[in-house]
Amino acid sequence: MRGEALMPTTVQKARLLLKNGKARIHSHRPFTIQLTYATGEAKQDLVLGVDAGYHNIGISVVSPTNEVFSSEIKLLQGQVERNKERRMYRTQRRSRLRYRKPRFDNRIKPKGWLAPSIQHKFDSHIKFIKRLCSVLPITKTIIEIAAFDIQKIKAPEINGKQYQEGEQLGFWNLREYILHRDNHKCQNPNCKNKSKNQILEIHHIGFWKKDRSDRPGNLITLCDKCHTPAKHKKKGFLYGWEAKTKSFKPETFMSIVRWKLVDELKCAHTYGHITKHKRIGLSLPKTHYHDAFCIAGGENQERCKPIFFHQKRKNNRCLEKFYDAKIIDTRTGKKVSGGELHSGRRTRNKNLNGENLRKYRGVKVSKGRRQIRKQRYAIRPDDIVKFDGKIYRAIGVQNKGQYLKIVNGSKPIVKNIKYIEVLFHQKTLKTV
């Protein structure tokens, strides 16, 4: 009643409290109620485990007896392209000005500045974690900041207690990075190993020229059939092979923001290779919410069903849209967009043109058109609505706001908007 977070309750009890007027709905994502009467405030120690990442966030809240919340959030992608489009429009707008005052003193980047795309993902982590802490009495937060310890790889010297842990811990740390970087797949482009569960090994790329260093750039993942002593010889595949290792963008992102996350949240941290040991010991499959459960210190607690979210744009500011023409492809008889049957021309000065596909254009089904958005409507895509006693998800408004396309399953339907009741608006998270 005072706005303080309490322990979770069951669906049946929450329904009774809402029905009797003893609680009100506070939020839908996740579904949270607020009591309207004074009650006891007994709480348990809850530990929040966060599997931070570039594409997904795994979340698990664990008590001494059970797991009270489990979720996996898929972050919004394409922020870089949207920033480029915004910069393009801003440049065009400024070029139309007759005179613009020179501004050179405001081009200094502040300390701790992050690129806009990275800042967006960093803010998303902070927002979702703080939002969960506002509805659950979490006493401790642990976040996985990387799959490996970069400082351990660069400076493998050990001291103190690390001597008692043996050499395998340091090797597993480096090996985990190489496997994770190579997506746990054999990097031989001509690999003939068809086994679903390949035995993977770490190969020294410069072994043939006596470069046995354990730096990540000299290590690559191979299966046991490609990594054999015979293939190390002069006539073998590995002799003289100069494989190029790829960069790892998600790990670069975590290297940039990991300590910022720890400082902002003032929480404890762990590494991915430690999480993997725990997950294997519990015989759990590889998922983000299972990793978060292990990060939170979960062992034999009763698990709960995870909730899957997708991060969505809260507002689409694009005012103009282009719809391509639809044409019948004479080769297949199917309807395709006009852009797919292009002329093949790429550049004017270089002979890089491809095949001219215009000759396969058949009957034009619909013309291409430009559409200008003139107004905004109250119901937006992914909002939850009610029609004829059933729950639907909104797809989009049609006929200048008169009709709404909704879906409850696989086949969408179109209904008059005045007969539809809005239950709640999806803001930044939508349930999958």
Side-chain angles (χ1 to χ4, degrees):
M1 187 175 66
R2 297 185 293 106
E4 299 292 334
L6 295 176
M7 295 297 293
T9 185
T10 60
V11 177
Q12 294 81 3
K13 188 173 182 180
R15 185 181 290 114
L16 290 175
L17 290 173
L18 292 171
K19 184 178 180 180
N20 297 329
K22 294 183 178 181
R24 66 177 187 86
I25 298 176
H26 179 267
S27 64
H28 289 86
R29 294 291 183 268
F31 189 82
T32 310
I33 62 173
Q34 183 178 7
L35 300 178
T36 58
Y37 68 98
T39 182
E41 298 184 358
K43 303 176 184 179
Q44 300 178 14
D45 291 335
L46 297 182
V47 181
L48 169 62
V50 181
D51 180 21
Y54 185 77
H55 296 292
N56 300 278
I57 305 176
I59 293 176
S60 177
V61 181
V62 177
S63 71
T65 56
N66 62 333
E67 183 184 34
V68 300
F69 184 78
S70 178
S71 175
E72 187 172 309
I73 303 171
K74 185 175 182 180
L75 295 176
L76 187 65
Q77 304 299 321
Q79 185 65 26
V80 175
E81 296 301 322
R82 286 189 288 272
N83 289 340
K84 287 181 180 179
E85 184 179 6
R86 184 181 62 177
R87 183 169 64 249
M88 177 188 69
Y89 286 122
R90 185 173 63 243
T91 303
Q92 291 179 355
R93 184 173 65 251
R94 289 177 174 176
S95 66
R96 298 190 187 99
L97 296 177
R98 181 173 299 178
Y99 174 73
R100 187 165 180 264
K101 293 182 179 180
R103 297 173 180 173
F104 302 102
D105 295 336
N106 62 350
R107 296 297 186 265
I108 301 175
K109 295 177 181 178
K111 186 177 180 181
W113 176 88
L114 294 175
S117 58
I118 298 178
Q119 184 70 47
H120 176 266
K121 292 185 180 295
F122 172 78
D123 293 339
S124 298
H125 280 75
I126 299 299
K127 179 174 63 176
F128 295 143
I129 294 172
K130 288 187 175 181
R131 182 175 179 180
L132 191 61
C133 292
S134 66
V135 297
L136 285 173
I138 295 172
T139 56
K140 183 180 180 181
T141 302
I142 305 175
I143 185 170
E144 181 184 295
I145 57 175
F148 51 89
D149 190 347
I150 297 178
Q151 295 179 351
K152 182 69 177 177
I153 294 174
K154 293 183 177 180
E157 296 83 6
I158 59 177
N159 51 45
K161 183 182 178 181
Q162 295 179 345
Y163 283 106
Q164 303 174 7
E165 298 172 340
E167 298 179 357
Q168 186 178 0
L169 182 63
F171 174 75
W172 180 270
N173 190 0
L174 178 58
R175 181 177 183 274
E176 176 65 12
Y177 165 63
I178 302 301
L179 292 174
H180 198 46
R181 183 197 65 189
D182 296 339
N183 201 22
H184 289 80
K185 292 183 179 180
C186 179
Q187 298 302 300
N188 180 9
N190 300 318
C191 179
K192 298 181 180 180
N193 190 350
K194 303 299 182 182
S195 176
K196 294 183 179 179
N197 298 318
Q198 296 182 358
I199 300 176
L200 300 178
E201 300 173 354
I202 304 301
H203 166 66
H204 289 81
I205 299 174
F207 186 85
W208 60 279
K209 54 184 178 181
K210 298 182 180 180
D211 183 6
R212 317 292 169 82
S213 61
D214 290 337
R215 54 187 174 84
N218 192 41
L219 298 174
I220 199 169
T221 304
L222 293 175
C223 67
D224 58 338
K225 291 187 177 181
C226 296
H227 191 237
T228 60
K231 294 184 178 180
H232 279 85
K233 297 181 180 180
K234 288 188 177 182
K235 294 183 179 181
F237 156 71
L238 298 176
Y239 192 87
W241 183 45
E242 295 281 359
K244 294 183 179 180
T245 57
K246 64 178 181 179
S247 61
F248 209 61
K249 191 174 182 179
E251 251 52 26
T252 304
F253 163 75
M254 290 306 303
S255 298
I256 296 173
V257 306
R258 56 179 183 165
W259 297 122
K260 286 182 175 291
L261 285 172
V262 174
D263 294 340
E264 179 72 20
L265 299 172
K266 296 179 175 57
C267 62
H269 64 276
T270 184
Y271 293 96
H273 66 280
I274 301 175
T275 305
K276 183 176 180 179
H277 280 300
K278 294 181 179 179
R279 178 166 48 80
I280 293 175
L282 296 174
S283 301
L284 296 175
K286 170 61 179 173
T287 61
H288 296 286
Y289 57 90
H290 283 324
D291 283 348
F293 176 74
C294 297
I295 293 169
E299 293 180 353
N300 299 320
Q301 290 92 337
E302 182 181 355
R303 302 295 303 275
C304 67
K305 186 177 180 180
I307 305 174
F308 296 92
F309 295 112
H310 278 192
Q311 187 183 11
K312 64 183 291 288
R313 298 178 67 182
K314 190 174 181 180
N315 186 19
N316 185 358
R317 296 178 177 85
C318 182
L319 299 179
E320 180 182 6
K321 289 187 177 182
F322 173 75
Y323 295 90
D324 203 352
K326 299 297 181 182
I327 303 173
I328 299 297
D329 190 340
T330 57
R331 296 172 296 178
T332 60
K334 295 182 179 180
K335 183 172 64 174
V336 298
S337 64
E340 296 182 32
L341 299 177
H342 53 79
S343 63
R345 186 171 183 176
R346 293 181 58 187
T347 59
R348 295 177 179 270
N349 301 326
K350 296 181 181 180
N351 188 16
L352 298 176
N353 299 335
E355 181 185 2
N356 188 353
L357 302 178
R358 286 179 176 267
K359 57 185 178 182
Y360 300 115
R361 290 190 175 189
V363 180
K364 181 178 287 188
V365 179
S366 62
K367 295 182 179 180
R369 60 187 175 90
R370 294 168 57 197
Q371 181 173 322
I372 306 298
R373 180 188 294 173
K374 297 182 179 179
Q375 68 179 93
R376 299 184 183 275
Y377 301 99
I379 302 178
R380 299 182 182 180
D382 296 317
D383 286 353
I384 305 301
V385 298
K386 188 176 182 180
F387 173 75
D388 198 15
K390 296 182 180 180
I391 307 298
Y392 293 87
R393 179 176 61 87
I395 297 179
V397 178
Q398 298 180 352
N399 293 40
K400 298 181 179 180
Q402 294 182 5
Y403 294 93
L404 178 69
K405 181 182 284 189
I406 55 180
V407 65
N408 184 7
S410 57
K411 188 176 181 180
I413 57 176
V414 179
K415 296 295 179 182
N416 195 316
I417 201 168
K418 63 182 180 180
Y419 299 118
I420 293 177
E421 177 187 358
V422 180
L423 294 183
F424 64 92
H425 298 282
Q426 298 268 26
K427 294 183 179 179
T428 57
L429 288 179
K430 64 177 181 178
T431 309
V432 182

